[in-house]
Amino acid sequence: MMFETFRTWFHRMGSPKWFYDITGRWIPWFGGIAALCLLVGTVWGLFFAPQDYQQGNSFRIIYIHVPAAILAQSIFFTMAIAGGIGLIWKMKVADMVAKSCAPIGATMTFIALFTGAVWGKPTWGAWWVWDARLTSMLILLFLYFGVIALQSAFDSKQSAARASAILSLVGVVNIPIIKYSVEWWNTLHQPATFTLTEKPAMPMEMWMPLLVMVIGFYCFFATVLMMRTRNEILEREKRTQWVQGLLSSQ
Amino acid sequence: MNPKRKKKLILLSSMVVAVGIAVGLVLYALSENINLFYTPTQIAEGEAPVGQRIRAGGMVVDGSIKRATDSLMVQFAVTDYKHEVVVQYTGILPDLFREGQGIVTMGAMDAEGIFQASEVLAKHDENYMPPEVEEALKASGHQATAQQ
């Protein structure tokens, strides 16, 4: 029963028109929650959360750095799954979702690397160190660039989707490497502070704003992803009747 | 799922697994080189190359910091609670450098077995807490953090 429901839903999502309609209704919700969480989280984290006993105020970069780094990895995973679905089920919407993921993920990776460098200078004493965590994160950025380049390197949308899906699926190997790099090797980067599986390594008044920021970042990603995919749908389906109808009705 | 899709799914999953295994083996073979630093035990056991520039990491030993009065030279010992390495460094230390702090330092062992450092980086752990909590912990006799 569950499986049947899921299958119907899955096939419906594969219809560009249906996807366009349903996400149009979802966007205000996700966008609203994103805006609310990001606003509350930023104000809470930057003004009300206590200082760190060692780092003082510079620890507050965590409220941007950690959500961006989590999203950078989640988005890559999403992109690889969507790419895989596109390859196997030949679902056009999945290809479009995968394509829309890449620039958002690249931006998140850049934010994580940049805020990390800004944070590293005062705390560690270096902008950049070639340790396993930082290097694997830089590789993630290059993988995103590779996917973006492949997307525009082909004339045919299908070949572009196939090539970039394969690169994303191969690149997904990097995600566990990023996650466990701090445990497998000696790194300058410390192990994860924010986990949902273990007791947080910070008191609640520091952890709560971080949680709000992470939720906000996820909703922001969902909103932007749906908006980008909708644009992609309109672009690719512009000759179909329903898009024409949409245009003439406005 | 029709057979063609099933075949593709199996093909793709085995590709990801194969790449994963290949990368895993490469990383395993390179694991010594991926480590950012050597621990004092590794240095004591001769695993670290002698005379070459390496990174050493460990905790700054309590009470081991000696500063020169006429220069920026500072000497301290780092430990992994099994072995110790004495480090000499001339320059400005990062803000988080203090006794009991984890650090990573770049340099080479000299003839007397002293690590001549050209760079000192502070390492911190994943625990964050407000200053009051740390003081309360200290007052109750607990170590604030167990670093590294």
Side-chain angles (χ1 to χ4, degrees), chain A residues 164-216:
Chain A
S164 42
I166 289 174
L167 179 61
S168 341
L169 282 167
V170 171
V172 116
V173 173
N174 192 29
I175 300 296
I177 295 176
I178 296 176
K179 181 159 168 45
Y180 293 106
S181 54
V182 287
E183 287 165 33
W184 290 341
W185 301 294
N186 297 332
T187 55
L188 189 62
H189 196 287
Q190 67 286 359
T193 298
F194 186 86
T195 55
L196 292 174
T197 47
E198 278 167 51
K199 200 170 127 312
M202 57 197 331
M204 272 301 145
E205 65 261 40
M206 286 174 160
W207 189 78
M208 283 307 289
L210 187 55
L211 178 69
V212 172
M213 283 303 269
V214 171
I215 295 170

Side-chain angles (χ1 to χ4, degrees), chain A residues 154-171:
Chain A
F154 293 87
D155 288 330
S156 132
K157 296 242 192 294
Q158 217 187 351
S159 319
R162 195 180 304 155
S164 42
I166 289 174
L167 179 61
S168 341
L169 282 167
V170 171

Side-chain angles (χ1 to χ4, degrees), chain A residues 14 16 19 82 91-101 151 157 161 225 228-237:
Chain A
F19 186 95
M91 199 181 276
K92 274 190 289 176
V93 172
D95 288 344
M96 295 186 230
V97 168
K99 184 183 179 183
S100 309
C101 277
Q151 286 285 4
K157 296 242 192 294
L225 179 65
R228 291 191 71 96
T229 312
R230 277 159 62 92
N231 279 349
E232 195 70 29
I233 289 175
L234 288 184
E235 171 75 32
R236 291 196 197 183
E237 306 271 304

Side-chain angles (χ1 to χ4, degrees), chain A residues 50-55 87-90 119 123-124 126 129 177 185-188 190-191 193 201-203, chain B residues 5 8-9 12 23 27 34-37 96 101 104 121-131 134 145:
Chain A
Q51 291 188 15
D52 179 55
Y53 74 111
Q54 275 193 325
Q55 299 181 23
L87 275 182
I88 295 164
W89 282 274
K90 297 237 179 276
W119 198 3
T123 46
W124 298 341
V129 187
I177 295 176
W185 301 294
N186 297 332
T187 55
L188 189 62
Q190 67 286 359
T193 298
M202 57 197 331
Chain B
R5 283 176 186 163
K8 254 191 193 167
L9 179 65
L12 276 180
V23 173
L27 290 178
I34 294 172
N35 284 332
L36 182 70
F37 55 85
L96 285 191
Q101 182 76 34
V104 174
L121 301 175
K123 192 168 156 50
H124 65 88
D125 67 3
E126 70 276 27
N127 297 301
Y128 300 87
M129 63 182 94
E134 196 244 350
T145 51

